Amino acid sequence: MSYRTTAFVAAFCMLASAASLCAETTEERLRRGDEVVRSLNAGSSQPTLEGLRAEFPFLADAITGYALGDVWARPVLDARTRQLAAVAAFAALGHRPFMKIHAGYALNAGVKEEELKEIVYLTTVHAGFPRAIEAAQTLSELFKERAQKPGAAK
Amino acid sequence: MSYRTTAFVAAFCMLASAASLCAETTEERLRRGDEVVRSLNAGSSQPTLEGLRAEFPFLADAITGYALGDVWARPVLDARTRQLAAVAAFAALGHRPFMKIHAGYALNAGVKEEELKEIVYLTTVHAGFPRAIEAAQTLSELFKERAQKPGAAK
Amino acid sequence: MSYRTTAFVAAFCMLASAASLCAETTEERLRRGDEVVRSLNAGSSQPTLEGLRAEFPFLADAITGYALGDVWARPVLDARTRQLAAVAAFAALGHRPFMKIHAGYALNAGVKEEELKEIVYLTTVHAGFPRAIEAAQTLSELFKERAQKPGAAK
Amino acid sequence: MSYRTTAFVAAFCMLASAASLCAETTEERLRRGDEVVRSLNAGSSQPTLEGLRAEFPFLADAITGYALGDVWARPVLDARTRQLAAVAAFAALGHRPFMKIHAGYALNAGVKEEELKEIVYLTTVHAGFPRAIEAAQTLSELFKERAQKPGAAK
Amino acid sequence: MSYRTTAFVAAFCMLASAASLCAETTEERLRRGDEVVRSLNAGSSQPTLEGLRAEFPFLADAITGYALGDVWARPVLDARTRQLAAVAAFAALGHRPFMKIHAGYALNAGVKEEELKEIVYLTTVHAGFPRAIEAAQTLSELFKERAQKPGAAK
Amino acid sequence: MSYRTTAFVAAFCMLASAASLCAETTEERLRRGDEVVRSLNAGSSQPTLEGLRAEFPFLADAITGYALGDVWARPVLDARTRQLAAVAAFAALGHRPFMKIHAGYALNAGVKEEELKEIVYLTTVHAGFPRAIEAAQTLSELFKERAQKPGAAK
């Protein structure tokens, strides 16, 4: 495939509003994603993500560059709302390890345990009682783990 | 089955904190649920719900009494956050008609169109691009329908 | 929100057929749910449910009052049919811990092991071979656990 | 691949209990499947199935030979219970056209409309309110269609 | 049910093209399925499948006769493509143990580890990042297990 | 958030192997994605994608830049295998409109109709008969639409 300039993208990138997006390098996107994960995770990198980097480098770069650097870095929603929405989606889908990670980020961003419990209660309506019960058990594990780590946000 | 008083519930309902919950009648729960749906839906009842009442009375009562009267009436989360979380869950699950109804309630509660679009963008991460694209198409339909109804919140 | 009497619910609760439903208190619903779980679980409470009560009181009440007290206590279907339907749904959805609990209740209600195996075979059609194989493994665990507990229904 | 006799299957097919299974031809399985679909569908073939036969012959044969001839023809569960279990699974999975077909078969087998409605109510617990509402809407369509066809079981 | 010859199947089985299909016995289908699993699994039977045989004989026969003997034995797709398609489907559905088994079969059939990683990357688009991350973790476990077994294809 | 250079990304981007990735601009990624979609879609842009651009610009850019420009442009898998894997995943998940689009791309890349039908047959094993039947109906619609458009690959 010859990556010739296509007319569509050339026109788009000449728009003043698109200029800074189009000029951004992947290094800048990766840096921003790395910043985002540290801001969510109390200054540390994310162990699940780092565990993937050696063997699945493209996936690690996609998480850092796209999921964190492009999506999670967007403005409009504040961090609390974004995290509660993510927890609601992961609870409904039954993605327990991801619900746990993002519920921890929510607590770091100032969400209260009581607010996370409300997402569990909503899940009975969205997706039924088994999904809600598993979400409750997931939060319960998280709350215990954080109670044992002094210094973690609560 | 003889519905004799079981020791567990009797003890629970003697707690001062549980007294008002235990004494509440189903009529009160249904009234509260009816209030909730009207507060979400700009003063009107919900057509999908009313369409079920004659043929599926238990389901209609469960929606009004449990889903709306018990869950949606809870305190802790404000209406905006609850609606954004519900939209995120319905988008991730691919429940398009329910995403549309609750995105409309979100707009009624003061959520901006731009905020709903952010939920779509998060959905690419939670559940992949097909679910996000369908969520975008669902919002697009909703925005068009509301643009054609003068007086609807925007 | 002022929980004023809405016209709709007031009219509904004046119907002779709705009177006993509307007058019921949540204490009565919780008692009935507690009765239901004990009738399903050979006289005992349910450990998963009780594990949730302290930390997620609303969820525990929703399970006891709504899922068990309202839905599972309904007439029309006998206990065997209701349990086989629940097992079929949980098998198809891949909700293994809930399939196991409800398959145990089915055995308590007189369902034969052979009948539960048929639900596994149907699952190959409903949801594919992986879901069916996991359902078979779940039943296998259950059968072994009950074989080791003298006195359990078989 | 040379389809040589493998030791395992040869030994299995020498068991007295496996002899009739092993000797059965695919023609016999297809005939049995065709019988099953006609017994479920008031004597007629199934239009969705027949629509697939010309373009997807293997799929049509797999439905007739395996899903109907092997699985649905099994003993142990009576037709009413099998159909209610299938309806519960399809409702929970959101497979509306298949829920509709099998709910129709259930009515043909003597299941009452009231019993099918109970499956909808259970679905609120298994899979949440959106799935249950869609299942209710699906039954509602089915009941209307059958009410308009004189002679259909009700 | 009297399994009388139905006109439809009788006519079908008189077609020259259907004759060999119709005449095949279940023993032949089981033999072919057993051949298929051994060709996929480096000459051995499949432990998960054999674990089911005593307690769930119909399921084991359905896997051997239908899933392996009928579906997996089909011509048209080569083994590499069939296995990559199966891995993509299992990754998207979150069926980790089955993804692992079939990724192992893929390696046995000559698929490269790098090609399996590409399926993980596609999964971010099909089904979101949590499913892709779990698929990566599943492959990682598989690669480690095979690295420790001398003689396994890599 | 101040997007300061983080040590991790800075070190990564100094690796010779990462240099060209890190230096790439988003304009280059968008151009490549636009090339990819045209190569898949017989030289045209994709109507579903273009329909999103005005109202959901971030989503359109994520599809073009990430899904197409990063993921679909990757080497290792040839276009035929990638499209068959995508069709298998979309069929298993029940994403009919996306299965249709990607099955069309598969035909454009030289995949035969017979090969796509095999994916449907595999879907009975991966995800059950309802998903396979819907996948068959989706292919059937696609084949008809292409048969009516002279010049389309078949």
Side-chain angles (χ1 to χ4, degrees), chain D residues 48 52 54-60 62-63 66-67 90 93 95-98, chain F residues 113 117 120-121 124 127 129-137 139-140 143-144:
Chain D
T48 299
L52 296 166
E55 208 166 6
F56 297 89
F58 176 84
L59 181 58
I63 296 169
Y66 174 70
F90 291 143
L93 293 166
H95 288 334
R96 293 182 68 166
F98 303 91
Chain F
E113 289 192 359
K117 290 180 183 179
V120 167
Y121 302 156
T124 63
F129 282 77
R131 284 275 186 256
I133 292 169
E134 295 193 327
Q137 293 167 333
L139 283 189
S140 197
F143 296 164
K144 258 180 224 122

Side-chain angles (χ1 to χ4, degrees), chain A residues 127 130-131, chain C residues 88-96 123 127 131, chain D residues 89 92-94 126-127 131:
Chain A
R131 285 274 186 256
Chain C
F90 290 143
L93 292 166
H95 288 335
R96 293 182 67 167
T123 302
R131 285 272 186 256
Chain D
L93 293 166
H126 302 153
R131 285 274 186 256

Side-chain angles (χ1 to χ4, degrees), chain F residues 4-150:
Chain F
R4 62 175 163 79
T5 305
T6 64
F8 169 79
V9 176
F12 171 73
C13 287
M14 281 167 62
L15 296 173
S17 60
S20 73
L21 170 75
C22 289
E24 192 174 43
T25 64
T26 293
E27 179 168 359
E28 289 167 313
R29 296 168 61 240
L30 290 169
R31 282 179 188 175
R32 187 168 59 232
D34 196 48
E35 280 287 310
V36 168
V37 79
R38 288 172 197 280
S39 78
L40 292 166
N41 200 31
S44 304
S45 61
Q46 217 292 319
T48 298
L49 170 55
E50 294 316 312
L52 295 167
R53 208 169 283 283
E55 208 167 5
F56 296 90
F58 177 84
L59 181 59
D61 284 346
I63 297 169
T64 307
Y66 175 69
L68 295 161
D70 290 350
V71 179
W72 241 257
R74 284 184 60 78
V76 182
L77 295 181
D78 61 277
R80 294 179 76 264
T81 306
R82 185 183 296 110
Q83 288 311 122
L84 285 166
V87 169
F90 290 142
L93 293 167
H95 288 334
R96 295 182 66 168
F98 303 91
M99 184 198 160
K100 195 171 179 176
I101 288 171
H102 283 269
Y105 294 168
L107 294 171
N108 293 343
V111 169
K112 297 282 195 306
E113 289 192 359
E114 293 311 305
E115 294 174 296
L116 288 169
K117 290 180 183 179
E118 293 300 313
I119 300 296
V120 167
Y121 302 156
L122 292 173
T123 302
T124 63
V125 177
H126 302 153
F129 282 77
R131 284 275 186 256
I133 292 169
E134 295 193 327
Q137 293 167 333
T138 304
L139 283 189
S140 197
E141 290 165 21
L142 175 71
F143 296 164
K144 258 180 224 122
E145 287 168 19
R146 289 171 73 98
Q148 290 163 358
K149 278 196 254 168

Side-chain angles (χ1 to χ4, degrees), chain A residues 47-62:
Chain A
T48 299
L49 169 56
E50 294 316 312
L52 296 166
R53 207 170 284 284
E55 208 166 7
F56 296 90
F58 177 84
L59 180 59
D61 285 346

Side-chain angles (χ1 to χ4, degrees), chain E residues 49-71:
Chain E
L49 170 56
E50 295 315 312
L52 295 167
R53 207 170 283 285
E55 209 167 3
F56 296 90
F58 176 84
L59 181 58
D61 285 346
I63 297 169
T64 307
Y66 174 69
L68 295 161
D70 289 351
V71 179

Side-chain angles (χ1 to χ4, degrees), chain A residues 117 120-121 124 129-134 136-137 139-140 143, chain C residues 48 52 55-59 62-63 66-67 90 95 97-98:
Chain A
K117 290 180 184 179
V120 167
Y121 302 156
T124 63
F129 281 78
R131 285 274 186 256
I133 292 169
E134 295 193 327
Q137 293 168 333
L139 284 189
S140 197
F143 295 163
Chain C
T48 300
L52 296 167
E55 209 167 4
F56 296 90
F58 177 84
L59 181 58
I63 297 170
Y66 175 69
F90 290 143
H95 288 335
F98 302 92

